[in-house]
Amino acid sequence: EVQLVESGGGLVQPGGSLRLSCAASGFPFSRYAMSWVRQAPGKGLEWVSAISSGGTSTTYADSAKGRFTISRDNAKNTLYLQMNSLKPEDTAVYYCAKPSDVGVVLASTNGYDYWGQGTQVTVSS
């Protein structure tokens, strides 16, 4: 029922930009905060960013602050992550994730009940 489908990943040079999308279905998207979480090769999960259900509040990991922008379009049931000034250390699989609880903004790697399949971002010269 619940589906989260990510797209927009790819190979970019350092300093480049990518826009990730996550198409959501099967749940009342506009009632849930959403998060982006990433996993670098051989590393554990790292929380990146989160946005409140209405899109009015956003929060970022220190590594993303000033470079990444999370947003959402509730009319389209879509979550976005605009990534600018990309660095090699941003190389990872990026996942969108739905919190288990309504009205909860998570700044962590746990507390989610559904995850997208992930989209690969590779930053290399």
Side-chain angles (χ1 to χ4, degrees):
E1 178 77 302
V2 174
Q3 285 192 300
L4 300 170
V5 181
E6 294 130 324
S7 60
L11 174 64
V12 296
Q13 294 184 356
S17 297
L18 284 173
R19 190 194 196 202
L20 307 183
S21 298
C22 173
S25 61
F27 68 97
F29 180 74
S30 65
R31 298 183 187 177
Y32 284 84
M34 295 290 292
S35 291
W36 288 98
V37 180
R38 69 186 181 185
Q39 187 167 32
K43 302 296 180 66
L45 294 169
E46 179 188 17
W47 174 83
V48 176
S49 185
I51 187 168
S52 61
S53 59
T56 56
S57 295
T58 59
T59 185
Y60 301 90
D62 287 343
S63 59
K65 198 170 301 179
R67 301 186 298 124
F68 293 5
T69 303
I70 190 170
S71 62
R72 66 194 295 161
D73 187 339
N74 284 345
K76 297 180 179 179
N77 285 0
T78 302
L79 176 72
Y80 303 98
L81 185 67
Q82 178 67 47
M83 305 188 295
N84 299 326
S85 302
L86 284 162
K87 305 173 180 179
E89 52 262 45
D90 295 318
T91 295
V93 177
Y94 284 71
Y95 301 93
C96 61
K98 169 192 169 294
S100 299
D101 298 328
V102 170
V104 175
V105 179
L106 297 175
S108 65
T109 58
N110 58 16
Y112 308 99
D113 59 355
Y114 291 95
W115 299 71
Q117 82 286 354
T119 186
Q120 176 70 51
V121 172
T122 302
V123 185
S124 177
S125 59

